[in-house]
Amino acid sequence: MTVTGTARIATLDIVRGIAVMGILAMNIVDFAMPTQAYMNPAAYGTNSTADLAAWIFAFIFVDGKMRGLFSLLFGASMLLVIEGAEAKGENATAIHYRRMLWLGAIGLLHYYLIWHGDILFGYAVAGMVAAFFYQKSPQALIVWGVGFAVVQFALFAAISASFFIAEAEAAKPGSSAEALAAWQDIERDFGRPGGAEIAKELALFRGSYAGILEHRVTVQLFAPAKGLFLFSWETIGYMLFGMAALKTGFLRGTWARNAYARTVAIGFGLGIPVYALLAWLMIRADFHAATLFALWGAATVPMRPAMILATAALIILATRHRGALVARIAAAGRTAFTNYLGTSILMTTLFFGYGFGLFGHFGRAALWLVIIPAWALMLLWSRPWLDRFRYGPLEWAWRSLARGALQPMRRHVEAPA
């Protein structure tokens, strides 16, 4: 998540800063509302035109794009760490896999003890796989990345087909209890859960920490492993795209202005109309569970890389002249690990029952009243911290664990003459 070499690449830090801020804009739905609302706006939290507009905006510009952007940057940073270790004559493989093992352990602690939406464990496993490709050419990395994305698309397309089959089986006269139960499970997880199901989840997350923890280690014990199977293919692909983007200079900010502008025009010119069409089709289908998964899950996979690259190119273009705000965004990117985990602690304290208990009390549009102050907090603390210290607190802990020794933390400032 952070570049540990001596010569930092400012572009990576800036794009990472936007990505970690953007991830909060999507994750906050899962912090603040029942789980089904993350995918299906009809499940909870959409009670007005403003709420629906907030969902449309997030679906087109945020959902999947910030996670993909983060994956891209993870692959690029991973490549820098490996190549930096090789340049120093260190055992790059050992360093990389120690980093991933510790990241995976931190991710599991994050999942079980803090929040069920963890991505770190999945990133650690994906990073172990992606490392096998780091010596390949940009062209080969892109080909392999496309291959992993195709697997992701095929998997989600197969799941979508199974949902439609389950619905058809449940609709048959005299259908079995098993067929009815299978469709009811899909409706509960991806459609509109009944009032009793919503009430149960509201009670859980407005309740005690002990109750939430018990739920994670019983009902959701194997969720991290399921997440690996469902989402790692695309994550690995994006990491390979990130390596290619670093090797070609795209993520170093060295492309010509018109090349970035062309990437923005093509990516958004293709992606925005497609995503807008998918949003319209979901609204038209009244967020029917099987249709929703087919459009939200499978249909977005082929178009998402274009939107991710266009977003990265736009950030690079918009921040080329730097300035005070851009410097703060870059600092938030350098402390992305701390900002990501810190956000989980802050948001669960705000929304869950063992904190302020606001779970289920916000609509989608109103959540921006939380998102914007949280962004401001990231920008306010990261820069002053890095003026005094070399790393963010958790970046330092991760680096020390991976290297088996406490790393220097404080910056050495020369005394005035």
Side-chain angles (χ1 to χ4, degrees):
M1 282 196 180
T2 185
V3 183
T4 56
T6 54
R8 298 194 65 89
I9 300 173
T11 303
L12 283 179
D13 292 332
I14 294 165
V15 178
R16 189 184 294 106
I18 296 292
V20 75
M21 293 167 68
I23 282 174
L24 172 61
M26 200 62 216
N27 281 351
I28 197 167
V29 174
D30 210 12
F31 284 120
M33 299 179 189
T35 305
Q36 295 89 338
Y38 184 89
M39 182 188 301
N40 190 341
Y44 198 89
T46 304
N47 304 309
S48 67
T49 302
D51 290 329
L52 183 61
W55 172 79
I56 293 171
F57 173 81
F59 174 73
I60 295 174
F61 295 105
V62 182
D63 185 19
K65 290 74 173 179
M66 295 300 131
R67 175 176 53 82
L69 199 58
F70 219 51
S71 304
L72 220 73
L73 296 164
F74 191 97
S77 296
M78 186 173 69
L79 178 62
L80 286 173
V81 170
I82 292 171
E83 291 183 341
E86 288 180 339
K88 296 175 184 176
E90 298 173 336
N91 187 332
T93 301
I95 289 173
H96 171 70
Y97 282 98
R98 280 201 304 270
R99 291 180 79 243
M100 295 303 102
L101 286 171
W102 278 112
L103 182 65
I106 294 168
L108 289 175
L109 290 174
H110 177 223
Y111 171 81
Y112 289 112
L113 300 181
I114 301 173
W115 182 53
H116 60 261
D118 172 74
I119 61 172
L120 301 178
F121 177 70
Y123 272 42
V125 176
M128 291 180 184
V129 177
F132 287 103
F133 299 87
Y134 83 95
Q135 292 179 318
K136 293 190 177 296
S137 68
Q139 295 79 7
L141 288 167
I142 291 170
V143 169
W144 277 100
V146 168
F148 280 104
V150 168
V151 173
Q152 183 74 68
F153 173 76
L155 174 62
F156 275 10
I159 294 173
S160 299
S162 73
F163 285 0
F164 284 108
I165 292 170
E167 181 182 25
E169 289 295 319
K172 287 180 179 178
S175 58
S176 66
E178 291 79 7
L180 289 172
W183 176 243
Q184 288 169 359
D185 287 344
I186 293 169
E187 280 276 38
R188 181 197 64 216
D189 294 338
F190 302 100
R192 288 182 172 89
E197 190 67 30
I198 290 292
K200 182 180 176 182
E201 188 147 357
L202 291 175
L204 173 66
F205 287 104
R206 290 175 182 173
S208 67
Y209 178 79
I212 295 172
L213 181 61
E214 181 185 6
H215 182 76
R216 289 199 194 114
V217 299
T218 53
V219 177
Q220 296 181 323
L221 179 63
F222 299 107
K226 293 177 183 177
L228 285 179
F229 173 72
L230 287 173
F231 299 105
S232 287
W233 312 100
E234 192 175 39
T235 302
I236 295 167
Y238 292 158
M239 289 182 183
L240 300 185
F241 291 154
M243 292 183 191
L246 185 71
K247 290 187 177 187
T248 62
F250 177 86
L251 284 177
R252 295 179 184 271
T254 58
W255 283 19
R257 182 180 181 84
N258 62 348
Y260 286 112
R262 188 163 54 248
T263 303
V264 173
I266 294 172
F268 285 153
L270 292 173
I272 291 176
V274 170
Y275 269 87
L277 173 62
L278 294 176
W280 177 76
L281 289 173
M282 282 186 273
I283 294 169
R284 186 168 176 265
D286 197 25
F287 300 103
H288 169 257
T291 303
L292 176 80
F293 192 89
L295 298 176
W296 178 90
T300 55
V301 174
M303 194 51 60
R304 193 150 41 233
M307 289 287 286
I308 293 167
L309 290 172
T311 302
L314 180 61
I315 295 168
I316 293 168
L317 277 178
T319 59
R320 276 195 158 180
H321 297 297
R322 304 294 191 259
L325 177 60
V326 175
R328 287 191 175 272
I329 293 171
R334 289 181 62 184
T335 55
F337 192 22
T338 301
N339 277 317
Y340 172 72
L341 288 175
T343 296
S344 291
I345 295 169
L346 179 63
M347 293 298 147
T348 52
T349 301
L350 184 64
F351 290 107
F352 289 4
Y354 53 82
F356 291 90
L358 297 178
F359 188 84
H361 290 296
F362 280 72
R364 289 173 187 273
L367 285 176
W368 284 94
L369 299 175
V370 179
I371 294 168
I372 293 172
W375 284 355
L377 183 60
M378 290 184 194
L379 298 177
L380 285 171
W381 85 270
S382 302
R383 178 76 185 275
W385 178 276
L386 290 176
D387 286 342
R388 295 166 176 79
F389 302 100
R390 299 184 181 192
Y391 314 101
L394 293 178
E395 283 78 4
W396 172 81
W398 182 26
R399 184 176 175 86
S400 297
L401 288 169
R403 293 181 177 269
L406 294 178
Q407 300 296 295
M409 182 63 162
R410 282 191 172 276
R411 289 189 177 279
H412 297 292
V413 181
E414 293 183 5

